[in-house]
Amino acid sequence: MDRLVFLLATGVARGAVFALFALSLVIVWRAARVVNFAQGAMAVVAVFVAFGVTAATGSYWLGLGSALLTGAVLGVVVERGVMNHVPAGNPLPGMIVAIGLVMVLQSGLGMLFGPQHRPMAAPFDERPFQVGGVPVLSPYDVFVLVVAVVVMGVLALLFTRTSLGLQLRASAFAPEVSRLLGVRVPRMLTIGWVLSSAVAALAALLLVPTELGLNAHSADMLFVHAFTVAVVGGLDSPVGALLGGLVVGVLMTLVTGYLGATVAPVAVLVLLATVLLVRPAGIFAAIEARQA
Amino acid sequence: MSHHRTSRCVAAAATALAVAALAACSVPEPEAEAAAAPGVTDTTVTVGTHQPLTGPAAAGYSSISAATKAYFDYVNDKGGINGRTIEYVVKDDGYNPATTQTVVRELVQEDEVFAVLNGLGTPTHSSVLDFLHQNEVPDLFVASGSTGWNEPETYPNTFAFNADYVTEGAALGQYAADELTGKAACVLGQDDDFGTEFLEGVELALGADGLTDVQTYSVSNQDVTAQIGAMKAAGCEVVMLATVNGFTALAIGTAAQLGWFPRWLSSSSGGDYPTLVGFLGEENGPKLLQGFVSTNYLPMADDEWVELFRQINDDHNGGAPFDGNTIYGMSVGYLFAEALAMAGEDPTRESLVEAIESGKLVGNGVVPLAFGPDDHAAFRGVGITMVNEGVQDFVGTTYSVDAETVEAVEPQPVPLENEGVPAP
Amino acid sequence: MNRVLPQVTGTPRILLGGLALAFLGIAVTFVLDPYRNYQLAIVAAYFCATAGLSVLVGLTGQLSLGHAALMAAGGYGYALAASLVDGMADGGPGTSGDEGTSVVRVLAGLAGAVVVSGVLGLLLGLAGARLRGPYLAGLTLALVIALPAVTAVLRGVLGGDQGLRAPYEDVPPALERLVALEQWHAWIAILAASVAATGLVLLRRSRAGLQMRAVHGDETAARLSGVPAGRVKVVAFVASAVSAGLGGAVLCLVTQSVSPGAYSLAFSLLLVVAAVVGGLGSLGGAAVGSAVVVLLPWLIESVTTALDLPADLQQRLSGNLAVLVFGALLVVVTLAWPGGAAGALAARRAARSQQPPLTER
């Protein structure tokens, strides 16, 4: 029973990070109708920058800020510099270009920083609180959860209550009509990419301290997990991303805990395949969105 | 019409020319001459290796070949062996067996190396055993603790170097039995031969039912919280680790987060103190690693060999970080140089293999070398090391392991002679 | 090419073409040294997978990021089947190796490869038929990432990280004096590649191929015209999977081993690069792409070694530089020359003859 509680708590903490990353995939999907396969690699670049800034200044928060900034800048660069030139209408070239970007970014990082894993320190204690003798969440885990919920809340408000959010949604859903109504559609597209990239950078930054260390390939599994979350929750649904994140996080931790770490990637594959075959556009996705 | 015919003729001619060029720059050599001593000239000896310089496994091992090369540079500066300098060709295989196949073929067929030295990795090197055997290339001092390199019947030219995982597991298990008697013992192992053979060794010492819990981890999953949690719940007091450095640190760190501090006994593959401190941080590392037990069969801490190696590292290795890998790489270089010296004035592949099988090689370990015509293993025992107040050193206990038994023996370190350059 | 034997058309022409290419390949092996023949065999194996992937993506628009896993399936199928036959031979495993190549063993291995990769391709195809582009890509991505875990979970059969060994096929005694080992293996690889290529070309020109292009162009319209879109996509997937499986089997035969490390995500992406650079849908392009993907890293390695850089920098560049170049190639080719090498060649030919290019895809 103790073990179960511990695993559930750890699962929730992991799930929050997956949910955040999945949210970034949802944002870019809603803004540009593209699954950004390069999201993980772009996020890792931002984390490397944060690592460097923290090492130079000694401040985690400055590092966090620089990660967000780098993510945003990368979003602009990738969207304006590369994705803009991809012929629309067919998702294939966009995916292939994203794959090419992943290769360029990861090999570039490998050349600049080498293959070793660089351990990153967390800003808060990683020792869990004990509730009735059972380790539950650590201060750091709580921090991660809080950040994830706050960011999701802010983005939800942005999309539903602000004029900018309305413009973003309109540009994605009906670009021609929006343009006629005076919405600067290309700018909305860029903003979508910027938001998505910054959120992904944040998620990766939150994840890395709990792992072996920072490395060019740190976000590979994160991308697969987050993609699974986005599929489970539906690429169109932010709420789906949150719930999906919790589900996948808890599931993966339970699998690792009871069946062993070896089984984990297989479990992700099985989960992904099952959801895709039963509900090809996700459990929470709206029916209309599936046709897009 | 003639336009097209001309262009087709041109194309055909160009193709023919290209093929001829390709063939010309790759003319196969006549068999007889090259057979006896490829890679050996009057002034040089060329050996090659395959190492993971890039990819997920590189982090732990990429510095080894640089250290070996530095040692060879040192020897070359002192006149080489029997008047020949040693050239070391290092090829990256990214820990991918398919790439290993390619680069080893390059080494043998293109670079025509005299021998392959210190090929690293169990899955990677296993894939080239047959090729090296078929081409009768001496395959020396494989960098892996698998027991698969000691098969003189099937692979007469392959020789091991690392003390194998069974030996390490048995030694650590026996140490737990002798010094930590009565404490619940567990094993956390990698989910491959490394883990299974290590476990075999531990069970040799403690018996099949001497363990309270056994957990495994996979390198593809960097989260061991579940496994640590399980061992803590099972009440383990001593944890034996068949883990690579990164995962040793991960295990210790995760356990500390859970407020659990068992006694850690680790295989040498994941027991290098400076590397672990690098992962755990300068602040927490020394505290968490106080009392950390591991094994080693090469010199360490305040030893004359280590001093020499530090000097060589400064002079010939661009002042790269000095850790267990550096000592390992240079020790391998030393052993090869010794074998080469013993192979005679005009070494051939046969004389090299004979020299090793003669059993007269001494090496520089704390346990005598076991090479012989029927035994291609190097170290059949290991010394126990411990970290005390930031220093990792031998505690004096040494175990020798054979098929059935584990025996405590006296360590027999080799004194440094001739400034670390083997004399013929 | 069309001027040679113009009276032979259709399927017999394609079969003859396949045979001719095979003979050409075999002739080439005589002028190459053992290492180059080994490289040729590897290129042929990669070609099988690249050709399959190229046809799949080019004709039906389904992007698979996990074709390495399909090659692996073929490799494991080969190793398991061949070892099984080997074990059943008189005297136990390893004894038939002394007499050269055991045709039974090789054929059994190839059959095993085809079956395993075909089944996996069927499963993926069935999934792919229901999924839109990015979802299928994500599924195949998860598959190739899960491959090491799958082999570890099924360690008893698949051997985990270590992988499996396949029986060693030596040169038959009759040809021993004439042919070297690597050359013999190259022959087998070239034959397999010709079979795969011929099969794919036949598929492309068949009714099924036409249906595939219809579905790719406009699925709704195709469905309305009575084309069973789902089934068509599945057929395409299975064909490309079997082709990849053949490639994996060849790799296993030539290297006598199969392991998950050889079929990583990086390798899968490399196959995508090969298919795109060569030109999606074009088999000639697949051949060019495969050659580029095998030879370019070797070229880059030679250049960086020649530059005599400090060891640390050299280490960092090695491996990574090739990947960087490939990634850049992928982006540039997709944006500037979407038809790849084949497309550029066709455009040039069309421009020269001042006729609209035949969409010979």
Side-chain angles (χ1 to χ4, degrees):
Chain A
M1 194 57 205
D2 275 7
R3 188 120 179 265
L4 184 63
V5 171
F6 169 66
L7 289 175
L8 283 172
T10 315
V12 166
R14 294 274 176 272
V17 174
F18 294 164
L20 205 55
F21 200 91
L23 187 63
S24 78
L25 288 174
V26 168
I27 295 174
V28 77
W29 171 259
R30 288 180 82 158
R33 282 284 174 262
V34 148
V35 173
N36 183 15
F37 278 90
Q39 197 84 307
M42 288 162 68
V44 170
V45 170
V47 177
F48 263 100
V49 169
F51 184 82
V53 167
T54 307
T57 64
S59 161
Y60 175 82
W61 304 104
L62 270 178
L64 187 111
S66 61
L68 290 174
L69 192 62
T70 314
V73 168
L74 258 177
V76 174
V77 168
V78 168
E79 196 270 318
R80 286 278 151 103
V82 184
M83 289 316 203
N84 221 9
H85 303 281
V86 174
N90 186 4
L92 196 60
M95 283 194 281
I96 295 180
V97 165
I99 299 295
L101 266 175
V102 171
M103 293 171 82
V104 168
L105 289 173
Q106 283 186 336
S107 61
L109 287 173
M111 287 198 285
L112 287 171
F113 297 104
Q116 59 268 47
H117 291 263
R118 290 152 201 271
M120 280 192 80
F124 298 100
D125 204 349
E126 285 185 275
R127 280 193 303 251
F129 294 118
Q130 305 262 341
V131 173
V134 178
V136 189
L137 296 170
S138 71
Y140 184 67
D141 289 335
V142 174
F143 168 67
V144 168
L145 273 169
V146 166
V147 168
V149 169
V150 165
V151 170
M152 279 186 244
V154 165
L155 285 171
L157 282 173
L158 175 77
F159 272 102
T160 52
R161 295 246 194 277
T162 66
S163 149
L164 177 65
L166 183 60
Q167 291 181 47
L168 280 165
R169 281 186 294 144
S171 307
F173 196 68
E176 306 310 341
V177 175
S178 313
R179 201 167 289 152
L180 283 171
L181 291 173
V183 174
R184 320 255 295 264
V185 172
R187 179 179 293 191
M188 292 302 125
L189 196 61
T190 310
I191 293 180
W193 273 85
V194 163
L195 277 175
S196 150
S197 191
V199 170
L202 180 63
L205 184 65
L206 290 174
L207 179 73
V208 174
T210 65
E211 291 205 328
L212 203 58
L214 178 62
N215 165 274
H217 295 268
S218 287
D220 282 357
M221 264 324 266
L222 176 59
F223 179 83
V224 175
H225 281 131
F227 180 78
T228 309
V229 169
V231 162
V232 166
L235 269 176
D236 267 294
S237 165
V239 172
L242 176 58
L243 293 173
L246 291 175
V247 165
V248 173
V250 167
L251 213 65
M252 292 315 304
T253 320
L254 287 176
V255 163
T256 312
Y258 288 115
L259 296 176
T262 321
V263 185
V266 181
V268 177
L269 178 63
V270 168
L271 176 62
L272 190 57
T274 314
V275 173
L276 281 176
L277 293 177
V278 170
R279 291 271 288 193
I283 296 179
F284 297 98
I287 310 282
E288 320 94 64
R290 218 174 290 163
Q291 253 70 56
Chain B
M1 209 44 181
S2 59
H3 210 277
H4 295 277
R5 204 169 292 153
T6 323
S7 63
R8 252 191 298 154
C9 284
V10 169
T15 319
L17 214 67
V19 169
L22 207 61
C25 68
S26 52
V27 171
E29 277 202 15
E31 277 262 22
E33 304 171 11
V40 176
T41 68
D42 289 336
T43 51
T44 63
V45 172
T46 310
V47 285
T49 184
H50 65 85
Q51 300 276 325
L53 301 179
T54 58
Y61 307 114
S62 50
S63 54
I64 294 177
S65 51
T68 313
K69 195 157 197 181
Y71 173 78
F72 286 152
D73 287 341
Y74 168 74
V75 167
N76 293 341
D77 273 359
K78 296 218 170 255
I81 301 289
N82 284 332
R84 294 185 178 83
T85 56
I86 305 176
E87 306 299 317
Y88 197 36
V89 181
V90 181
K91 298 230 179 213
D92 177 29
D93 66 1
Y95 209 73
N96 179 350
T99 319
T100 315
Q101 300 255 359
T102 310
V103 300
V104 167
R105 275 177 172 76
E106 272 174 37
L107 286 172
V108 172
Q109 290 166 335
E110 302 266 292
D111 300 299
E112 291 179 340
V113 294
F114 182 49
V116 168
L117 176 70
N118 206 227
L120 196 147
T122 312
T124 42
H125 200 76
S126 311
S127 69
V128 294
L129 276 177
D130 285 315
F131 173 76
L132 291 171
H133 172 52
Q134 285 147 24
N135 286 276
E136 294 176 353
V137 180
D139 176 18
L140 308 180
F141 314 148
V142 182
S144 144
S146 163
T147 49
W149 324 121
N150 180 12
E151 305 213 1
E153 311 267 305
T154 339
Y155 300 111
N157 293 322
T158 301
F159 294 87
F161 182 77
N162 297 28
D164 63 61
Y165 304 129
V166 176
T167 304
E168 286 197 316
L172 286 173
Q174 192 61 45
Y175 182 77
D178 292 343
E179 305 290 325
L180 303 165
T181 341
K183 295 196 189 243
C186 303
V187 170
L188 172 66
Q190 199 158 292
D191 61 352
D192 59 11
D193 279 9
F194 177 18
T196 36
E197 290 185 356
F198 184 83
L199 183 62
E200 220 181 281
V202 171
E203 288 180 342
L204 188 69
L206 294 180
D209 45 6
L211 289 169
T212 310
D213 192 20
V214 175
Q215 294 287 328
T216 58
Y217 75 92
S218 173
V219 288
S220 54
N221 189 334
Q222 292 176 14
D223 187 346
V224 293
T225 327
Q227 293 92 320
I228 300 291
M231 287 196 289
K232 181 182 177 196
C236 300
E237 298 166 279
V238 172
V239 179
M240 283 171 276
L241 298 168
T243 51
V244 289
N245 281 316
F247 281 86
T248 310
L250 203 59
I252 297 179
T254 313
Q257 281 172 30
L258 295 180
W260 182 47
F261 303 95
R263 201 65 192 281
W264 300 101
L265 275 54
S266 165
S267 140
S268 61
S269 308
D272 185 48
Y273 181 72
T275 315
L276 291 174
V277 169
F279 278 113
L280 292 168
E282 292 287 341
E283 231 189 272
N284 294 321
K287 275 182 282 177
L288 290 172
L289 293 170
Q290 175 67 24
F292 178 82
V293 172
S294 183
T295 64
N296 200 354
Y297 42 92
L298 294 176
M300 65 190 312
D302 278 333
D303 180 284
E304 43 187 0
W305 284 97
V306 175
E307 267 176 55
L308 172 69
F309 288 158
R310 267 193 212 277
Q311 190 62 47
I312 299 178
N313 190 48
D314 288 335
D315 295 339
H316 298 274
N317 203 11
F322 187 86
D323 57 20
N325 278 345
T326 325
I327 301 177
Y328 178 89
M330 295 196 186
S331 302
V332 168
Y334 175 77
L335 190 60
F336 174 72
E338 207 190 328
L340 184 63
M342 205 174 291
E345 288 278 336
D346 290 306
T348 64
R349 285 176 167 172
E350 283 81 41
S351 70
L352 185 67
V353 170
E354 261 169 45
I356 305 174
E357 283 189 335
S358 69
K360 299 209 199 101
L361 286 184
V362 176
N364 67 338
V366 302
V367 178
L369 288 175
F371 288 132
D374 299 320
D375 195 345
H376 284 196
F379 297 101
R380 286 216 162 277
V382 287
I384 302 292
T385 69
M386 197 181 324
V387 174
N388 190 16
E389 313 223 329
V391 178
Q392 188 179 35
D393 199 357
F394 287 110
V395 298
T397 320
T398 311
Y399 292 104
S400 170
V401 180
D402 67 29
E404 313 282 309
T405 58
V406 188
E407 208 191 310
V409 295
E410 282 299 314
Q412 298 173 38
V414 177
L416 179 67
E417 277 174 22
N418 201 27
E419 295 180 318
V421 179
Chain C
M1 255 315 149
N2 288 325
R3 282 177 252 279
V4 177
L5 292 175
Q7 65 271 26
V8 183
T9 56
T11 308
R13 184 184 185 79
I14 294 170
L15 290 174
L16 266 179
L19 264 170
L21 278 172
F23 273 123
L24 183 66
I26 288 175
V28 166
T29 63
F30 279 98
V31 295
L32 298 175
D33 73 7
Y35 182 65
R36 301 264 173 260
N37 271 325
Y38 171 75
Q39 277 185 317
L40 183 62
I42 301 295
V43 170
Y46 283 22
F47 167 76
C48 292
T50 310
L53 181 62
S54 188
V55 165
L56 180 68
V57 182
L59 253 59
T60 64
Q62 302 179 85
L63 178 64
S64 161
L65 294 174
H67 250 56
L70 290 167
M71 277 188 96
Y76 277 100
Y78 179 89
L80 287 169
S83 304
L84 199 70
V85 168
D86 202 31
M88 294 193 303
D90 306 332
T95 48
S96 18
D98 304 321
E99 301 137 25
T101 296
S102 160
V103 180
V104 175
R105 214 163 48 195
V106 172
L107 285 178
L110 290 174
V114 166
V115 165
V116 176
S117 58
V119 166
L120 186 58
L122 182 65
L123 290 172
L124 278 175
L126 286 170
R130 300 190 60 186
L131 301 174
R132 290 268 180 274
Y135 290 109
L136 176 64
L139 181 64
T140 52
L141 179 71
L143 175 66
V144 73
I145 288 183
L147 183 67
V150 170
T151 59
V153 167
L154 298 171
R155 178 156 319 127
V157 178
L158 300 180
D161 253 353
Q162 213 94 329
L164 297 175
R165 303 279 264 276
Y168 168 61
E169 305 292 353
D170 205 347
V171 183
L175 295 169
E176 222 157 63
R177 251 161 254 296
L178 188 63
V179 174
L181 176 69
E182 284 78 9
Q183 195 174 358
W184 174 242
H185 284 165
W187 287 12
I188 300 180
I190 289 168
L191 270 163
S194 320
V195 167
T198 313
L200 286 170
V201 171
L202 283 172
L203 179 71
R204 205 169 59 183
R205 286 175 187 261
S206 71
R207 184 184 171 76
L210 191 61
Q211 288 179 331
M212 285 177 207
R213 263 168 284 174
V215 166
H216 185 29
D218 188 335
E219 186 160 337
T220 321
R223 269 187 219 267
L224 286 172
S225 312
V227 173
R231 205 183 311 161
V232 161
K233 288 205 256 186
V234 171
V235 166
F237 219 106
V238 172
S240 83
V242 167
S243 189
L246 262 173
V250 166
L251 273 181
C252 188
L253 188 153
V254 170
T255 60
Q256 293 107 49
S257 73
V258 59
S259 64
Y263 298 103
S264 59
L265 173 63
F267 181 59
S268 224
L269 298 184
L270 218 61
L271 290 174
V272 174
V273 172
V276 169
V277 165
L280 291 171
S282 156
L283 286 176
V288 169
S290 317
V292 167
V293 153
V294 170
L295 296 176
L296 195 57
W298 167 78
L299 198 72
I300 292 178
E301 183 78 25
S302 318
V303 167
T304 50
T305 329
L307 284 177
D308 200 24
L309 302 157
D312 190 33
L313 185 60
Q314 179 111 4
Q315 263 186 34
R316 298 232 210 110
L317 281 183
S318 121
N320 284 322
L321 191 55
V323 176
L324 185 76
V325 169
F326 283 136
L329 260 177
L330 204 55
V331 173
V332 166
V333 169
T334 308
L335 294 180
W337 298 289
L345 208 65
R348 176 113 46 91
R349 217 184 289 145
R352 223 184 315 132
S353 65
Q354 276 161 347
Q355 279 167 7
L358 284 165
T359 39
E360 212 229 272
R361 301 185 84 239

